[in-house]
Amino acid sequence: MPNHDRTFNFSAGPAGLPLPVLEQAQQEMLNFRGCGASILEISHRSPAFIDVLDSARDGIRQLLGANDDFEVLFLQGGSRLQFSMVPLNLLQSDTDRGNYVVTGTWSEKAHQEAANCHATDMIWSGKENGYSELPDQTDLQSLVTNDAAYVYYTSNETIQGIQFQDDLSFAVVPSVCDASSDFLSRPIDINKYGMIYACAQKNAGPAGVTIVVIRKDLLSPTLNECPGYLNYRNHADANSLYNTPPTFAVYMVDLVCQWLLNDIGGLEQMHQINREKAELLYATIDGLPDMYSGHAAPANRSLMNVTFRLPSQELTDLFLKQANDQGLTSLQGHRSVGGIRASIYNSMPPEGVLALRDFMNSFYTQNSNSR
Ligand SMILES: Cc1ncc(COP(=O)(O)O)c(C=O)c1O
């Protein structure tokens, strides 16, 4: 069992937060930096909160290497709202189409939402193979349609546990990436993106804030017909204070950025730690094929969500129960997929993954006769 009576929490989201971040929030809770009130109780226009907002924005810029060509916005409505905001903002003429790469549950939902009201094309789908594989970037390039205004994809499919290893970029057309479950987990080349966004509750903070990083030239030149809150330009013009932002969540994102920059040492280091954690689990799965079988094609395995199955539902239930008893919690796979999903985002310490690896080995030893 880890310190502080806290379990090793493998939740897919809202997920664990780094312990130093929680401790700092706890320590600053009653009197936030001399305000005489908590961060929850002060105006979003107060100098103390504006400092937090500026610091969170700078932290994201620094981690992603995003210069002034990009806006960093803090929005609400989760990643789901982006499924609508992307086409509403980026399809600016009647002839524009959104191109969608559908690799799993989340990109499927994004495409469905966009297709309800907008001109879209699904240029690739992995549904037939159970969303266990990803397309090759060069193959995708040839599928982009002439009238595409953007190509939309999901860098890490949280439910299936498959992840693009590279930033996707397309000649002429900007890429729009839902990075909800691998944001800030590795360095990216931000200049390859037209827009990248993430809800915070996996790698970047708590639920309640969605971070959008968008190239300024993609903001509509004038306010178009879309409702005010849904227009990126309104948020950009108002410095993310178009309405009351989720102040506490923005504060937590700032603390996570500071932790990544100062404690971890940046995204290269974070990526290395994440690679090592994931390799431990995949090696265990591959080493015990009688007990564990991975969902993702090996070349497309996610470093964030490790998905695998056991030979029967009885063994799966036993695995979950015994793991839980040992302080390894929230390992059940998504209800649509079943099996096991170990979400090992930035905040999961290597000791948590080692504890799971040891548990998987001993579970195999104890149950290898009952397969
Ligand atoms: C890749 C991805 N996109 C979108 C979402 C939806 O996010 P939200 O619940 O914040 O709307 C999730 C949530 O798990 C996700 O993992």
Side-chain angles (χ1 to χ4, degrees):
M1 183 71 94
N3 288 337
H4 296 78
D5 295 333
R6 286 167 57 80
T7 63
F8 287 127
N9 170 11
F10 293 89
S11 168
L17 283 157
L19 196 54
V21 165
L22 292 175
E23 285 170 341
Q24 186 173 344
Q26 181 183 41
Q27 191 223 321
E28 295 187 316
M29 179 55 80
L30 294 185
N31 182 356
F32 181 67
R33 300 178 193 174
C35 291
S38 78
I39 180 81
L40 292 157
E41 301 165 299
I42 60 173
S43 165
H44 58 296
R45 301 198 186 276
S46 63
F49 180 71
I50 299 296
D51 280 354
V52 168
L53 184 64
D54 289 346
S55 173
R57 192 185 298 105
D58 288 352
I60 303 251
R61 279 193 185 285
Q62 215 178 318
L63 287 163
L64 298 184
N67 63 20
D68 274 353
D69 294 342
F70 289 87
E71 287 284 354
V72 176
L73 309 175
F74 296 99
L75 307 182
Q76 298 180 69
S79 285
R80 280 268 184 161
L81 192 55
Q82 296 310 308
F83 298 175
S84 310
M85 284 178 76
V86 165
L88 268 170
N89 283 266
L90 300 190
L91 298 179
Q92 292 185 1
S93 88
D94 289 346
T95 52
D96 281 352
R97 298 184 75 83
N99 279 192
Y100 282 75
V101 182
V102 175
T103 51
T105 306
W106 288 113
S107 46
E108 183 183 305
K109 286 186 196 298
H111 174 250
Q112 276 162 2
E113 183 74 33
N116 279 342
C117 329
H118 303 278
T120 62
D121 295 294
M122 181 164 60
I123 59 167
W124 192 89
S125 167
K127 194 165 191 159
E128 262 184 22
N129 60 21
Y131 294 132
S132 61
E133 282 173 28
L134 293 171
D136 189 73
Q137 163 140 219
T138 32
D139 295 344
L140 280 181
Q141 188 68 56
S142 63
L143 301 172
V144 175
T145 65
N146 288 334
D147 43 11
Y150 61 87
V151 179
Y152 181 105
Y153 76 101
T154 301
S155 49
N156 182 68
E157 286 285 359
T158 323
I159 290 176
Q160 284 79 17
I162 52 175
Q163 183 180 30
F164 283 102
Q165 302 309 319
D166 297 309
D167 310 300
L168 299 196
S169 64
F170 301 90
V172 190
V173 187
S175 61
V176 172
C177 176
D178 173 359
S180 293
S181 48
D182 63 1
F183 194 59
L184 306 183
S185 71
R186 59 182 177 184
I188 60 167
D189 179 355
I190 188 70
N191 298 310
K192 291 194 169 162
Y193 296 82
M195 170 178 155
I196 182 166
Y197 74 87
C199 50
Q201 68 266 22
K202 292 149 199 307
N203 262 327
V209 64
T210 300
I211 300 145
V212 170
V213 184
I214 182 167
R215 238 169 51 200
K216 284 182 179 162
D217 63 293
L218 294 177
L219 298 171
S220 46
T222 51
L223 286 180
N224 58 26
E225 285 164 4
C226 84
Y229 186 87
L230 304 184
N231 200 312
Y232 294 128
R233 176 161 286 284
N234 276 331
H235 295 281
D237 289 351
N239 206 22
S240 291
L241 295 169
Y242 177 67
N243 71 328
T244 311
T247 49
F248 184 74
V250 172
Y251 160 66
M252 292 297 280
V253 169
D254 182 36
L255 294 187
V256 169
C257 289
Q258 300 312 315
W259 173 77
L260 281 168
L261 288 164
N262 304 326
D263 294 20
I264 298 295
L267 295 189
E268 286 286 355
Q269 284 84 341
M270 193 70 254
H271 191 203
Q272 182 56 28
I273 296 169
N274 285 331
R275 263 198 302 251
E276 288 168 11
K277 289 188 299 184
E279 274 162 19
L280 271 177
L281 294 186
Y282 288 120
T284 310
I285 292 168
D286 291 343
L288 301 171
D290 296 347
M291 182 61 82
Y292 306 116
S293 63
H295 176 79
N300 304 133
R301 285 172 162 174
S302 167
L303 300 189
M304 300 281 103
N305 311 98
V306 178
T307 48
F308 56 97
R309 292 196 179 76
L310 282 80
S312 68
Q313 191 56 47
E314 291 69 39
L315 280 170
T316 307
D317 293 344
L318 188 64
F319 181 99
L320 289 170
K321 182 178 179 313
Q322 291 186 351
N324 199 63
D325 291 346
Q326 295 190 24
L328 306 170
T329 59
S330 297
L331 279 162
Q332 64 278 16
H334 187 267
R335 60 192 178 282
S336 64
V337 173
I340 307 293
R341 172 174 51 171
S343 297
I344 49 172
Y345 301 121
N346 289 350
S347 65
M348 172 58 67
E351 306 84 73
V353 174
L354 282 168
L356 177 58
R357 190 267 319 261
D358 292 348
F359 171 74
M360 289 169 74
N361 282 330
S362 70
F363 186 86
Y364 169 77
T365 310
Q366 281 161 26
N367 295 286
S368 49
N369 291 334
S370 54
R371 277 166 296 121

